[in-house]
Amino acid sequence: MDSPAPPLNLPEGWDQIVPEMRVAETDHIITKKQWGAFYGTELDLQLRRRGIDTIVLCGIATGLGVDTTAREAFMNGYQLILAIDAMTGFSQAEHDHVKNFIFPRIGRVRTTQEIISAFAEV
């Protein structure tokens, strides 16, 4: 028999964009409909229209949404930078497995500080 999905117990406002992101009128917001951000959305189209070939990826569930989106991006030919300290798993073991065995094969695993420092050098 299949097990029911565990309750999410998400806090109020978990799905809201925080003011610190400073969303502008010209920003494009893509709403995911599945675990991955590419399937069933126009994300690939919007990135390619703008000549974007590198994605910095973070997210809520390392082993579900982040992993699926990372794999989709990789299969679509994008370069990936995975902000490993800006994501979490449902367990440490899940997070560590994806971090140690999947992500290094498809992108560059970095901390947010390493990513920010690299942008400052450009």
Side-chain angles (χ1 to χ4, degrees), residues 10-25:
L10 299 170
E12 182 73 31
W14 73 272
D15 60 344
Q16 301 302 305
I17 298 173
V18 296
E20 293 85 355
M21 291 296 294
R22 296 185 212 135
V23 176
E25 267 187 47

Side-chain angles (χ1 to χ4, degrees), residues 87-114:
M87 59 183 80
T88 190
F90 289 103
S91 71
Q92 190 64 47
E94 172 199 327
H95 176 78
D96 289 345
H97 175 78
V98 177
K99 174 182 91 172
N100 295 329
F101 296 103
I102 306 299
F103 288 167
R105 295 172 184 246
I106 61 177
R108 292 170 281 171
V109 179
R110 302 290 187 268
T111 65
T112 52
Q113 188 55 57
E114 289 171 326

Side-chain angles (χ1 to χ4, degrees), residues 39-60:
Y39 182 81
T41 72
E42 61 178 29
L43 180 58
D44 186 51
L45 173 68
Q46 295 299 335
L47 293 171
R48 291 189 192 282
R49 278 185 177 168
R50 289 160 181 77
I52 296 169
D53 64 0
T54 303
I55 299 170
V56 176
L57 192 57
C58 62
I60 296 170

